[in-house]
Amino acid sequence: MTPYDVANSAILITGPARSGTTIMGRVIHSMTEVEYAFEPTFLALLAPRLTDARVRSAYESWLFQNVLLDSLAGRSINANCHDESAFVKAKGSIEMAKRLASSWTSEELIPLAEGKRVAYKLPEIARTGLRMLEYYPGMSILGMVREPAEVVASLLAKGWFANNAGGYYPLELDEWPSHWDELTRCWYYWCEMTKPLLNDDRVFHVSYERLVKSPRSQVKRIAMALGLHYGPMTLDIVGTIKRQKQGPEPAIPTEMWSRVAEVKALMHARLG
């Protein structure tokens, strides 16, 4: 197993924020073969530089050493049991105790790493992920797709795109006109974060609506497609999956009508 092998078998979970990437990350993390990184945001900056072999080498080394080996050694796991991404919530307390029980050498870790895959969850990097496939054609992309009204309602509740939100701005978006209000920004965001995923046949599309309606069958479908096996915590996590209630359905601003209609049509054509 080489650092390139780890990168070429990696699993990226992405989609718009509020589309189910967090719960999907927990599900994938719980699989026996998977070691996991939660939102390594610096990766969004790498895509334009992947033409540089040195950058690819650094990325591969990070996945191999910092995510795979350091996770197996208990060095990079999230030990805060209150976090959604807590190691114990995906792998269980027995596995956590095992990893923290001793100091591991590289010679001990390499055999444990055989057959493992690295996964990471990072919303808003659809275009980045698709560029990475040019260099790592064996990697898998799980694209979360959720009905736009629910995403927009959730974004409005969070207030991330309000004028006083502190300058939050997704890296992959072109700058929006200064006169756009929060509602328009949210609808534009959903369109631009969802459309690249739907347009690419290499993405494994996951419908949020189907996931919350039939979590057992949908997780089984995903695991089979990726060649993964349930861990001790998987079914417990699946049992927590349910629809999150949102507020009233937000109106679609006039200047977003055609853009939203195009992406919704693409979504229904892709997902049925």
Side-chain angles (χ1 to χ4, degrees), residues 10-52:
I11 301 167
L12 166 63
I13 303 154
T14 192
R18 317 306 299 166
S19 65
T21 57
T22 296
I23 188 60
M24 182 51 57
R26 282 186 63 196
V27 168
I28 296 300
H29 187 190
S30 74
M31 302 291 175
T32 59
E33 298 87 351
V34 172
E35 301 302 326
Y36 182 69
F38 178 81
E39 297 194 358
T41 52
F42 73 92
L43 292 185
L45 302 174
L46 284 185
R49 300 170 175 83
L50 285 178
T51 54
D52 188 333

Coordinates of all heavy atoms in Angstrom, one line a residue, residues 10-52:
A10 N -9.8 6.7 -1.9 CA -10.5 7.6 -0.9 C -12.0 7.8 -1.3 O -12.4 7.6 -2.4 CB -9.8 8.9 -0.8
I11 N -12.8 8.1 -0.3 CA -14.2 8.4 -0.4 C -14.4 9.8 0.0 O -14.1 10.2 1.1 CB -15.0 7.4 0.4 CG1 -14.8 6.0 0.1 CG2 -16.5 7.8 0.3 CD1 -15.3 5.0 1.1
L12 N -14.9 10.6 -0.9 CA -15.3 12.0 -0.6 C -16.8 12.1 -0.5 O -17.6 11.7 -1.3 CB -14.8 13.0 -1.7 CG -15.4 14.4 -1.7 CD1 -15.0 15.1 -0.4 CD2 -14.9 15.1 -2.9
I13 N -17.3 12.7 0.6 CA -18.7 13.0 0.9 C -18.9 14.5 0.8 O -18.4 15.2 1.6 CB -19.1 12.4 2.2 CG1 -18.8 11.0 2.4 CG2 -20.6 12.7 2.5 CD1 -18.6 10.5 3.8
T14 N -19.7 14.9 -0.2 CA -19.9 16.3 -0.4 C -21.3 16.6 -0.9 O -22.1 15.7 -1.1 CB -18.8 16.9 -1.4 OG1 -18.8 18.3 -1.4 CG2 -19.1 16.4 -2.8
G15 N -21.5 17.9 -1.1 CA -22.9 18.4 -1.4 C -23.0 19.8 -0.8 O -22.1 20.2 -0.1
P16 N -24.2 20.4 -1.0 CA -24.4 21.7 -0.3 C -24.4 21.5 1.3 O -24.7 20.4 1.7 CB -25.8 22.1 -0.8 CG -26.0 21.3 -2.0 CD -25.3 20.0 -1.8
A17 N -24.1 22.5 2.0 CA -24.3 22.4 3.4 C -25.8 22.2 3.7 O -26.6 22.6 2.9 CB -23.9 23.8 4.1
R18 N -26.1 21.5 4.8 CA -27.5 21.2 5.1 C -28.2 20.2 4.2 O -29.4 20.1 4.1 CB -28.4 22.4 5.2 CG -27.7 23.6 5.9 CD -27.2 23.3 7.3 NE -28.3 22.9 8.2 CZ -28.0 22.3 9.3 NH1 -26.8 22.0 9.7 NH2 -29.1 21.9 10.1
S19 N -27.4 19.3 3.6 CA -27.9 18.3 2.6 C -27.8 16.9 3.2 O -28.1 16.0 2.5 CB -27.2 18.4 1.3 OG -25.9 18.1 1.3
G20 N -27.2 16.8 4.4 CA -27.1 15.4 4.9 C -25.7 14.9 4.9 O -25.5 13.7 5.2
T21 N -24.7 15.7 4.6 CA -23.3 15.3 4.6 C -22.8 14.8 6.0 O -22.0 13.8 6.0 CB -22.4 16.3 4.0 OG1 -22.4 17.5 4.9 CG2 -22.7 16.7 2.6
T22 N -23.2 15.4 7.0 CA -22.8 15.0 8.4 C -23.2 13.6 8.8 O -22.4 12.8 9.2 CB -23.2 16.1 9.4 OG1 -22.6 17.3 9.1 CG2 -22.8 15.6 10.8
I23 N -24.5 13.3 8.6 CA -25.0 12.0 9.0 C -24.4 11.0 8.0 O -24.1 9.8 8.5 CB -26.5 12.0 9.0 CG1 -27.0 10.6 9.6 CG2 -27.1 12.2 7.7 CD1 -26.5 10.3 11.0
M24 N -24.2 11.3 6.8 CA -23.6 10.3 5.8 C -22.2 10.1 6.2 O -21.7 8.9 6.1 CB -23.7 10.9 4.4 CG -23.2 9.9 3.4 SD -23.8 8.2 3.5 CE -25.6 8.5 3.3
G25 N -21.5 11.1 6.7 CA -20.1 10.9 7.1 C -20.0 10.0 8.3 O -19.2 9.1 8.4
R26 N -21.0 10.1 9.2 CA -21.0 9.2 10.4 C -21.3 7.7 9.9 O -20.7 6.8 10.5 CB -22.1 9.6 11.4 CG -21.7 10.8 12.3 CD -22.7 11.0 13.3 NE -22.8 9.9 14.2 CZ -23.9 9.7 15.1 NH1 -24.9 10.6 15.0 NH2 -23.9 8.7 15.9
V27 N -22.2 7.6 9.0 CA -22.5 6.2 8.5 C -21.2 5.6 7.9 O -20.9 4.5 8.2 CB -23.6 6.3 7.5 CG1 -23.8 4.9 6.8 CG2 -25.0 6.6 8.2
I28 N -20.6 6.4 7.0 CA -19.4 5.8 6.3 C -18.3 5.6 7.3 O -17.6 4.6 7.2 CB -19.0 6.8 5.2 CG1 -20.1 6.9 4.1 CG2 -17.7 6.3 4.6 CD1 -20.4 5.6 3.4
H29 N -18.1 6.5 8.2 CA -17.1 6.3 9.3 C -17.3 5.0 10.1 O -16.3 4.4 10.5 CB -17.1 7.5 10.2 CG -15.9 7.5 11.2 ND1 -15.9 8.4 12.2 CD2 -14.8 6.8 11.3 CE1 -14.8 8.2 12.9 NE2 -14.1 7.3 12.4
S30 N -18.5 4.6 10.3 CA -18.8 3.4 11.1 C -18.4 2.1 10.4 O -18.3 1.1 11.0 CB -20.3 3.4 11.4 OG -21.1 3.0 10.3
M31 N -18.2 2.1 9.0 CA -17.9 0.9 8.3 C -16.5 0.4 8.7 O -15.6 1.1 9.0 CB -17.9 1.2 6.8 CG -19.3 1.7 6.3 SD -20.6 0.5 6.4 CE -22.0 1.5 5.9
T32 N -16.4 -0.9 8.7 CA -15.2 -1.5 9.3 C -13.9 -1.1 8.5 O -12.8 -1.1 9.1 CB -15.3 -3.1 9.3 OG1 -15.5 -3.5 7.9 CG2 -16.4 -3.5 10.1
E33 N -14.0 -0.9 7.2 CA -12.8 -0.6 6.4 C -12.4 0.9 6.5 O -11.3 1.2 5.9 CB -13.1 -0.9 4.9 CG -13.4 -2.4 4.7 CD -14.8 -2.7 4.8 OE1 -15.6 -1.9 5.3 OE2 -15.2 -3.9 4.4
V34 N -13.2 1.8 7.1 CA -13.0 3.2 6.9 C -12.3 3.9 8.0 O -12.7 3.7 9.2 CB -14.4 3.9 6.6 CG1 -14.2 5.4 6.5 CG2 -14.9 3.3 5.3
E35 N -11.3 4.8 7.7 CA -10.8 5.8 8.6 C -11.2 7.1 8.1 O -11.3 7.3 6.9 CB -9.3 5.6 8.8 CG -8.8 4.3 9.3 CD -9.4 3.9 10.6 OE1 -9.6 4.8 11.4 OE2 -9.7 2.7 10.8
Y36 N -11.5 8.1 9.0 CA -12.3 9.2 8.6 C -11.7 10.6 9.0 O -11.1 10.7 10.1 CB -13.7 9.1 9.2 CG -14.7 10.1 8.9 CD1 -15.2 10.3 7.6 CD2 -15.2 11.0 9.8 CE1 -16.2 11.2 7.3 CE2 -16.2 11.9 9.6 CZ -16.7 12.0 8.3 OH -17.6 13.0 8.0
A37 N -11.9 11.6 8.2 CA -11.5 13.0 8.5 C -12.7 13.8 8.3 O -13.4 13.8 7.3 CB -10.3 13.4 7.7
F38 N -13.0 14.7 9.3 CA -14.2 15.5 9.3 C -13.8 16.9 8.8 O -13.0 17.7 9.5 CB -14.8 15.6 10.7 CG -16.0 16.5 10.8 CD1 -17.2 16.1 10.5 CD2 -15.9 17.8 11.3 CE1 -18.3 16.9 10.6 CE2 -17.0 18.6 11.5 CZ -18.2 18.2 11.1
E39 N -14.3 17.3 7.7 CA -14.2 18.7 7.1 C -12.7 19.2 7.2 O -12.5 20.3 7.8 CB -15.1 19.6 7.9 CG -16.6 19.2 7.6 CD -17.6 20.3 8.1 OE1 -17.1 21.4 8.6 OE2 -18.8 20.1 7.9
P40 N -11.8 18.6 6.4 CA -10.5 19.2 6.3 C -10.5 20.3 5.2 O -10.2 20.1 4.1 CB -9.6 18.0 5.8 CG -10.6 17.1 5.1 CD -11.9 17.3 5.8
T41 N -10.9 21.5 5.7 CA -11.2 22.6 4.8 C -10.1 23.0 3.9 O -10.3 23.5 2.8 CB -11.8 23.8 5.5 OG1 -10.8 24.1 6.6 CG2 -13.1 23.5 6.2
F42 N -8.9 22.8 4.3 CA -7.7 23.2 3.4 C -7.7 22.5 2.1 O -7.1 23.0 1.1 CB -6.4 23.0 4.2 CG -6.0 21.5 4.3 CD1 -5.2 21.0 3.3 CD2 -6.4 20.7 5.3 CE1 -4.8 19.6 3.4 CE2 -6.1 19.4 5.4 CZ -5.2 18.9 4.4
L43 N -8.4 21.3 2.0 CA -8.4 20.6 0.7 C -9.1 21.4 -0.4 O -8.8 21.2 -1.6 CB -9.1 19.2 0.9 CG -8.4 18.2 1.8 CD1 -9.1 16.9 1.7 CD2 -6.9 18.0 1.3
A44 N -10.0 22.3 0.0 CA -10.7 23.1 -1.0 C -9.7 24.0 -1.8 O -10.0 24.4 -2.9 CB -11.8 23.9 -0.4
L45 N -8.6 24.2 -1.2 CA -7.6 25.1 -1.8 C -6.6 24.3 -2.7 O -5.8 24.9 -3.4 CB -6.8 25.8 -0.7 CG -7.6 26.7 0.3 CD1 -6.7 27.2 1.4 CD2 -8.2 27.9 -0.5
L46 N -6.7 23.0 -2.6 CA -5.7 22.2 -3.3 C -6.0 22.0 -4.8 O -5.0 21.9 -5.6 CB -5.6 20.8 -2.7 CG -4.8 20.7 -1.4 CD1 -4.8 19.2 -1.0 CD2 -3.4 21.3 -1.5
A47 N -7.3 22.0 -5.2 CA -7.6 21.6 -6.6 C -6.9 22.4 -7.6 O -6.4 21.8 -8.6 CB -9.1 21.7 -6.8
P48 N -6.8 23.7 -7.5 CA -6.1 24.5 -8.6 C -4.6 24.1 -8.7 O -4.0 24.5 -9.7 CB -6.3 25.9 -8.2 CG -7.5 25.9 -7.3 CD -7.4 24.6 -6.5
R49 N -4.1 23.5 -7.6 CA -2.7 23.2 -7.6 C -2.3 21.7 -7.8 O -1.2 21.3 -7.7 CB -2.1 23.6 -6.2 CG -2.3 25.1 -6.0 CD -2.0 25.5 -4.5 NE -2.1 26.9 -4.3 CZ -3.2 27.6 -4.0 NH1 -4.3 26.9 -4.0 NH2 -3.2 28.9 -3.8
L50 N -3.3 20.9 -8.1 CA -3.1 19.5 -8.3 C -2.2 19.2 -9.5 O -1.7 18.0 -9.7 CB -4.4 18.7 -8.3 CG -5.1 18.5 -7.0 CD1 -6.4 17.8 -7.2 CD2 -4.2 17.8 -6.0
T51 N -2.1 20.1 -10.4 CA -1.2 19.9 -11.6 C 0.2 19.8 -11.1 O 1.1 19.3 -11.9 CB -1.4 21.0 -12.6 OG1 -1.2 22.3 -11.9 CG2 -2.7 21.0 -13.2
D52 N 0.5 20.3 -9.9 CA 1.9 20.3 -9.4 C 2.1 18.9 -8.7 O 1.4 18.6 -7.7 CB 2.0 21.4 -8.4 CG 3.5 21.6 -7.9 OD1 4.2 20.6 -7.9 OD2 3.9 22.7 -7.5

